[in-house]
Amino acid sequence: MKDQVIPKATAKRLPLYYRYLKVLLDAGTEKVSSTELSEAIKVDSATIRRDFSYFGELGKRGYGYDVKSLLDFFSKTLSEDRLTNVVLVGVGNLGNALLKYGFHHNNNIRISAAFDVREDLVGRIVDGIPVYPMSEMAEQIKQQQIEIAIMAIPANSAQDTADLLIESGIKGIMNFTPVRLHTPADVQVQSVDLTNELQTLIYFLNHYTPSKEDKKG
Amino acid sequence: MKDQVIPKATAKRLPLYYRYLKVLLDAGTEKVSSTELSEAIKVDSATIRRDFSYFGELGKRGYGYDVKSLLDFFSKTLSEDRLTNVVLVGVGNLGNALLKYGFHHNNNIRISAAFDVREDLVGRIVDGIPVYPMSEMAEQIKQQQIEIAIMAIPANSAQDTADLLIESGIKGIMNFTPVRLHTPADVQVQSVDLTNELQTLIYFLNHYTPSKEDKKG
């Protein structure tokens, strides 16, 4: 499929479509109509049909949209052509794994600076990435004109750090803490709560798999 | 709020409610009606109202449900009273961070065994967790009667490993690879694609924040 220009207003809605379609996929739903999408994500169905018309062959009206095909298409569309630099706050176990994660391998994403409170880390270069003290965070973010931060820090400093990041010009936060951050309307937070993901899975299995109660006693 | 018995059929739907409500929260939606929920997650609205009636004060008909309150309630409900043992496959950078992540601190989740191909890791105890060779995976899972596995391995061995896990009795997989796994209907997969989460955030910001095009030239 060739690149084509998608209007900015349509592009804005892609992540929302994408995330809802992932929910549908997890629920085992294969087809979805524009009306169903409309109800689910509060976008009127005419807008959805127009948005989807930019995606070419995916937009088969009347049959419903194929969830997997849409997800594949969105996944490709979401990847950016130009390099995006992001910062990492917190080089503990998880932060360290994220430094080594290789976001840049197949994607134009690069962690260009990391920040930590630990004196044995600060001033060093870890996996090619300089680690600065927290006191230099605001300055580095401004100098490098970075708008996205990954937060892999303890929960108790999450809100304060988020406030400081936003003051420094950060507009998007990937939040690995379980804290629900309070942020201004123009700041987007993407939360990844690993405990919660695992809890949801466990809960689902405990209530979904064939009961073992008949073995009792 | 006191513990109360939630019927199994209701409990089964909680994770689905929970995940969809998180999408709504991220989209800035504060209230949702049972009709809207019904359309979104394909559960009829009478069932939703009955399900929600078990949650006591949250079920205010006519006003719509408060998204944040529901999420808080579900979050509490999803946490289990008894300990759940899980296995970890892959003790690389991410796997190592997950070993140290402390799922057990506030939650009844414990990684009881890890598996890896690396000979320098196998046979050792890392952060209190024994690391076994892959060849012992099936046996350990059966012996310990474990039903949940965390997969933090390279993408190219994801499907084969998933197949082996399922053969060994695993019913739930927390999948950190970007691979969309093919699994039987009774196996639940929870995917956490970190690159994708970051991509979605970047894409959103590039199309949402005030454009810098007027500075061009």
Side-chain angles (χ1 to χ4, degrees), chain A residues 22-192:
Chain A
K22 282 204 289 190
V23 172
L24 287 183
L25 188 79
D26 285 339
T29 305
E30 288 176 6
K31 295 273 180 192
V32 64
S33 70
S34 56
T35 314
E36 291 164 330
L37 276 169
S38 169
E39 294 286 341
I41 58 176
K42 327 272 180 183
V43 173
D44 71 272
S45 57
T47 301
I48 291 176
R49 283 195 297 273
R50 199 177 57 238
D51 282 351
F52 284 19
S53 73
Y54 295 106
F55 313 152
E57 57 180 331
L58 296 168
K60 284 181 206 143
R61 229 198 278 192
Y63 297 88
Y65 298 95
D66 184 77
V67 172
K68 275 189 192 170
S69 307
L70 277 173
L71 275 171
D72 286 339
F73 177 81
F74 288 160
S75 184
K76 274 179 215 147
T77 309
L78 291 173
S79 66
E80 296 285 333
D81 291 331
R82 64 190 173 96
L83 182 69
T84 304
N85 285 311
V86 307
V87 297
L88 169 69
V89 190
V91 191
N93 295 314
L94 185 59
N96 199 38
L98 293 170
L99 277 186
K100 297 182 169 81
Y101 187 69
F103 287 113
H104 54 289
H105 282 167
N106 301 305
N107 309 278
N108 269 324
I109 302 173
R110 178 178 169 260
I111 297 176
S112 68
F115 304 96
D116 205 288
V117 293
R118 283 174 52 193
E119 289 190 3
D120 58 326
L121 279 175
V122 158
R124 284 182 50 205
I125 292 176
V126 178
D127 291 288
I129 316 299
V131 182
Y132 300 96
M134 296 298 284
S135 58
E136 291 181 26
M137 192 167 76
E139 196 194 324
Q140 283 294 333
I141 289 172
K142 282 175 194 160
Q143 268 190 15
Q144 300 191 38
Q145 297 186 19
I146 286 173
E147 294 191 323
I148 293 182
I150 303 173
M151 274 187 19
I153 56 175
N156 58 14
S157 53
Q159 186 62 55
D160 287 349
T161 305
D163 292 345
L164 188 55
L165 286 168
I166 293 163
E167 261 178 56
S168 311
I170 290 294
K171 293 292 179 197
I173 297 175
M174 191 174 180
N175 174 27
F176 281 96
T177 80
V179 176
R180 201 174 291 159
L181 300 171
H182 300 279
T183 55
D186 67 334
V187 173
Q188 170 83 355
V189 177
Q190 195 98 332
S191 288
V192 184

